[in-house]
Every structure is written in structure tokens, then in C-alpha cells.
Amino acid sequence: MNHVLLIDDDVELVGMFSEYLEQEGFRTTCVHNGADGAREALRGDYAIAVLDVMMPGTNGIDALRQIRAASRIPVLMLTARGDDADRILGLELGADDYVAKPCTPRELTARVRAILRRTHAAAGAGPGAVLSVGKLSMYPEQRRATWDGAVVELTSTEFNLLEVLARHAGRAVSKNELSEQGLGRPLARFDRNIDVHLSSLRQKLGMLADGRSPLQTIYRQGYQLIRD
């Protein structure tokens, strides 16, 4: 799938993004308000949604809440440059990544490709492949994870990051490695994406027998998925 849903009230900007994406081989659909954008995203015909935060009426954060209540479609947020509060809130609500405005169509397209590349790579795993670490089982082909037999609802990026940690279980994985392998891009300075996603994963996963989280922060080294 290469169909991109663009949700932004800036008609001129969306038109520019749409034209560039289509030159790069994507199909696009443009929606100019949050309420209609959320409904369109839930139709299930899109590979990814690009969602602006600042829109009148139903803003991007509210639209994201509606989308995440019923869908795990990858969502790339467009945020105002320097607006950390909106970025962190969007990530906590399940956005996969963000791009700060103003941004170029090339930058936006690169970020879209990075998210889809990881999603498609995981979907191409061998039939029946299962990745198991203690009570955690991951099924890359199905993009599905369970903890002690119970399904864990993960966003695309959460799944990617957890898969990276699971493949390196028992050792610390640096934030730069997680960004490269999980987000498909180098870690930017002051980028808190990884921290927010890992915090969300801690809340979604169960506990080890001793009451600890299976996801541990290793000082100055990164994060580690503990083998139990």
C-alpha cells in the first residue's frame, strides 16, 4: 500500500505535499479538517496518515484520539517547531513520529518512507516466524504481540521498537540504534521520541515475577529488554 492520507487545513501546503508525494510514487487523498480526517483514516484504505496538530474545530490531537480508539494505522504528526508539549502528547496518544513545521516536501516524504519501510519490512518476515522473550511473544508477519498469552495493543512504532529490543534481549540497545532500526532515521538532538514510546510500552507490558518492568533503562547505554 502506498496511499497517504494528508489531514491539514492549510490547502496550499497540503497541495504542495500531495504533488511531491505523487511525483515520488505515492497516491494521496487530502482532507482539510480534523473531524473528516479522522473518519477518513478509519476507512482502512491508507498506508499512513499525516496529521496536522493545529486545526480549527477538531484539532490534530483530538483527531488522533479518535483514530487510535479504533485503528493502528501509522500516523505522522505535523507540529509547530519548538512545541514540545504537542509532540509529547501526540506520541503518548499513539503517533508514530512527528515532523516540525515548516518542513520541506522532501523531508516529509523521507519521514513517511521511513515509517512505511519499517512496517513493510516487518510484514515481510518469514511465515510463522515467532520472536519469544520470556512472557513476550511477537509475530512480525502479523504485527501482533502478546504478553503471557494476552494480546498487547501496540502502534506501528511501538511494535518496531519492541521488536528491536526483543532481538537484542539481554543487552542494552542505545537510543541511536533504536532510532535507526525502529524509526528508520538517525536520532536527532534533543529528540524525546524514544523515551516517550518506551514509557508507553512499559505501561502496556506486564511485570516480571519480581515486580520489575521488563524494559529497563541502562544508565548512559540505552534500554534493555530483560530475559526472564
Side-chain angles (χ1 to χ4, degrees):
M1 292 178 63
N2 67 344
H3 197 171
V4 179
L5 175 62
L6 299 168
I7 309 170
D8 194 322
D9 64 320
D10 188 330
V11 176
E12 183 176 354
L13 180 66
V14 168
M16 180 174 64
F17 286 156
S18 176
E19 182 178 355
Y20 189 91
L21 283 162
E22 291 183 355
Q23 289 174 356
E24 292 295 306
F26 293 92
R27 289 193 299 134
T28 63
T29 294
C30 304
V31 179
H32 301 298
N33 67 79
D36 290 343
R39 283 192 291 270
E40 187 67 20
L42 294 176
R43 291 179 54 200
D45 296 333
Y46 300 96
I48 187 171
V50 178
L51 177 62
D52 183 38
V53 170
M54 297 298 293
M55 290 184 287
T58 301
N59 62 32
I61 296 298
D62 291 335
L64 178 61
R65 285 193 178 96
Q66 294 175 32
I67 293 169
R68 278 291 168 259
S71 173
R72 289 186 292 173
I73 179 178
V75 175
L76 176 65
M77 300 292 290
L78 295 175
T79 68
R81 189 172 299 278
D83 196 341
D84 290 337
D86 279 342
R87 295 178 187 177
I88 292 172
L89 180 56
L91 293 171
E92 289 176 341
L93 290 173
D96 291 273
D97 204 352
Y98 67 83
V99 176
K101 283 184 172 182
C103 65
T104 65
R106 182 178 181 181
E107 180 182 4
L108 178 77
T109 303
R111 202 64 66 87
V112 166
R113 286 192 191 281
I115 294 173
L116 295 182
R117 184 164 54 244
R118 285 296 305 167
T119 302
H120 293 164
V130 181
L131 181 59
S132 296
V133 179
K135 296 180 180 181
L136 174 68
S137 295
M138 301 190 73
Y139 306 82
E141 183 183 19
Q142 304 169 27
R143 304 289 289 170
R144 185 169 66 90
T146 64
W147 179 268
D148 201 18
V151 174
V152 182
E153 295 292 341
L154 302 175
T155 67
S156 175
T157 294
E158 288 170 351
F159 189 97
N160 293 343
L161 293 172
L162 186 56
E163 182 183 0
V164 173
L165 289 166
R167 293 191 184 281
H168 300 284
R171 80 164 179 87
V173 182
S174 71
K175 289 173 66 174
N176 192 62
E177 285 180 279
L178 284 168
S179 188
E180 289 275 10
Q181 298 179 40
L183 301 182
R185 60 178 176 81
L187 183 70
R189 191 179 184 187
F190 305 123
D191 191 341
R192 296 186 59 190
N193 274 18
I194 301 297
D195 304 299
V196 177
H197 286 306
L198 268 291
S199 176
S200 176
L201 280 169
R202 282 197 181 100
Q203 296 177 36
K204 292 182 177 183
L205 295 179
M207 294 293 182
L208 300 175
D210 60 7
R212 290 181 300 161
S213 168
L215 289 176
Q216 293 291 312
T217 302
I218 309 300
Y219 183 61
R220 290 187 175 179
Q221 296 184 53
Y223 291 95
Q224 177 183 339
L225 180 65
I226 297 176
R227 289 187 179 277
D228 185 24

